């Protein structure tokens, strides 16, 4: 029988991919699990040397579980294209090259499909080739015990890629029942039916069935602190900081009563106080700013 997780338990999200860590942390938030990423724990990223999604998920989950002494959840995922016999598949990340350039990876996919005359003729409304995203989750325990959970989402590809949301191959994938690519959809819309959400549903059924989800886990008087904290911890660019500030403003407008600061002067005083107390950080500049802005909204003088 699959081993269960209990509320309050620490769980390592065994990934160094910020998009995935954010998405998995969001999925775990209502279950009161204390999710920490392998990156935050300074765990090394193991080589993915297997040829199956299960094999690679297992390598990542076991490395994190043995390195941290905590149960660890890893995801191995990718894009499978029927016309390319399932490629790029387990090599989806590799197609982006060492610089993880997904513009390059999508161009490679576009070229491989063009070489097989797989794109609709210009001006034709036909859909592009069939494809699916797949996610295999592995929950590993420090003693080596493992359990696997799979989710898929089917759809078709478009060329050229469209939209700037999401990550990886999102701008060229249209899920069935949609006309927009994942890159054009709001992240919440994507997560609602994504391959990872589906794999997570299977994981939840087997491992979290005794934990009742609470809408309030990680929330204080309406403030979704878990989501805000995860967003601050995963951003890297000036544009992402600007989006985060917009999110923080929306939180202030909706839940201002739950902010420690009751006026702008209070907020600046909290900011000043927090800057005096805050621990040393190696965070990149934009992420550090986001964390400081969020911390000041909670800081009690
Ligand atoms: P890995 O699971 O870290 O080995 O990498 C899987 C790769 O598959 C990612 O780097 C992306 O290129 C691709 N991929 C997996 N899930 C998604 C998704 O939700 N959107 C777009 N690309 C994805």
């Amino acid at each position: 029988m699959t081993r269960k997780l209990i509320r309050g338990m620490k769980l390592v999200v065994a990934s160094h991919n910020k998009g995935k860590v954010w998405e998995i942390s969001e999925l775990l938030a209502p279950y009161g699990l204390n999710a920490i990423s392998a990156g935050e724990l300074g765990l090394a990223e193991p080589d993915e040397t297997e040829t199956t999604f299960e094999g690679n998920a297992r390598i990542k989950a076991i490395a994190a579980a043995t390195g941290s002494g905590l149960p660890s959840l890893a995801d191995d995922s990718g894009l499978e294209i029927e016309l390319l016999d399932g490629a790029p598949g387990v090599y989806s990340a590799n197609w982006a090259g060492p610089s993880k350039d997904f513009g390059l990876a999508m161009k490679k996919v576009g070229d491989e499909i063009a070489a097989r005359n797989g794109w609709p003729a210009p001006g034709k409304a036909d859909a592009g080739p069939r494809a699916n995203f797949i996610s295999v989750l592995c929950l590993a325990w420090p003693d080596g015990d493992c359990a696997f959970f799979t989710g898929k989402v089917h759809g078709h590809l478009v060329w050229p890629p469209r939209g700037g949301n999401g990550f990886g191959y999102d701008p060229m994938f249209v899920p069935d029942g949609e006309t927009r690519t994942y890159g054009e959809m709001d992240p919440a819309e994507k997560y609602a039916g994504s391959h990872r959400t589906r794999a997570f549903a299977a994981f939840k059924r087997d491992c979290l069935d005794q934990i009742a989800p609470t809408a309030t886990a990680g929330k204080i008087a309406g403030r979704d602190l878990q989501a805000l904290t995860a967003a601050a911890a995963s951003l890297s660019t000036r544009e992402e900081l600007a989006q985060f500030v917009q999110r923080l403003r929306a939180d202030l407008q909706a839940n201002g009563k739950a902010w420690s600061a009751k006026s702008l002067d209070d907020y600046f005083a909290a900011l000043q106080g927090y800057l005096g107390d805050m621990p040393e950080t190696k965070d990149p500049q934009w992420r550090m700013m986001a964390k400081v802005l969020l911390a000041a909204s909670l800081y009690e003088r």
Side-chain angles (χ1 to χ4, degrees):
M1 204 178 84
T2 318
R3 274 149 83 176
K4 312 279 181 196
L5 292 158
I6 54 174
R7 187 177 289 283
M9 215 175 208
K10 279 191 181 165
L11 179 70
V12 179
V13 180
S15 174
H16 288 72
N17 174 323
K18 280 179 279 169
K20 276 195 205 171
V21 170
W22 184 81
E23 198 174 325
I24 295 176
S25 305
E26 285 280 289
L27 292 167
L28 291 170
Y31 296 91
L33 290 166
N34 190 350
I36 338 161
S37 77
E40 274 175 88
L41 291 175
L43 299 174
E45 205 170 354
D47 288 336
E48 297 178 27
T49 48
E50 291 286 340
T51 53
T52 61
F53 292 104
E54 284 79 5
N56 285 331
R58 186 173 183 284
I59 287 181
K60 291 184 271 191
I62 289 278
T66 50
S68 66
L70 296 167
S72 301
L73 189 64
D75 150 280
D76 199 55
S77 51
L79 177 68
E80 297 181 309
I81 304 168
E82 278 175 26
L83 185 68
L84 306 184
D85 300 321
V90 284
Y91 305 106
S92 295
N94 304 32
W95 280 33
S99 60
K100 303 197 175 172
D101 179 347
F102 279 95
L104 196 78
M106 287 191 283
K107 166 124 188 10
K108 196 166 166 193
V109 166
D111 289 348
E112 293 285 337
I113 292 172
R116 290 165 178 75
N117 295 319
W119 292 116
K124 289 260 172 158
D126 306 352
R130 298 289 300 161
N132 66 271
F133 277 121
I134 173 169
S135 161
V136 176
L137 287 171
C138 174
L139 174 68
W141 296 81
D143 62 9
D145 188 24
C146 281
F148 297 92
F149 313 92
T150 301
K152 285 187 181 185
V153 59
H154 294 271
H156 70 268
L157 301 177
V158 293
W159 194 261
R162 304 193 311 246
N165 289 339
F167 67 99
Y169 298 89
D170 279 346
M172 65 181 308
F173 182 79
V174 178
D176 286 344
E178 259 294 334
T179 52
R180 293 167 304 164
T181 67
Y182 268 167
E184 292 172 307
M185 289 164 71
D186 187 71
E189 283 180 272
K190 176 191 164 187
Y191 302 136
S194 85
H195 46 309
R196 212 161 289 112
T197 305
R198 290 175 184 183
F200 188 82
F203 160 71
K204 193 170 75 176
R205 230 176 9 249
D206 280 15
C207 303
L208 304 175
D209 59 357
Q210 75 293 15
I211 307 181
T214 52
T216 53
K219 298 194 178 188
I220 296 179
R223 298 195 71 190
D224 195 345
L225 290 174
Q226 208 137 9
L228 285 167
T229 305
S234 63
L235 66 80
S236 311
T237 64
R238 187 159 54 94
E239 290 74 21
E240 286 168 337
L241 175 66
Q243 280 166 14
F244 178 80
V245 170
Q246 186 184 13
R247 205 164 159 176
L248 205 55
R249 277 183 65 201
D251 176 61
L252 176 66
Q253 281 156 17
N255 309 304
K257 285 203 174 76
W259 281 44
S260 303
K262 300 296 171 220
S263 66
L264 194 55
D265 184 49
D266 264 5
Y267 181 75
F268 274 114
L271 196 57
Q272 187 185 353
Y274 181 75
L275 287 169
D277 289 349
M278 72 183 270
E280 282 302 311
T281 170
K282 290 200 171 70
D283 276 337
Q285 57 181 348
W286 306 118
R287 187 176 309 162
M288 183 191 60
M289 276 182 78
K291 286 186 176 176
V292 168
L293 291 172
L294 176 59
S297 76
L298 295 159
Y299 189 80
E300 301 277 354
R301 287 180 297 140

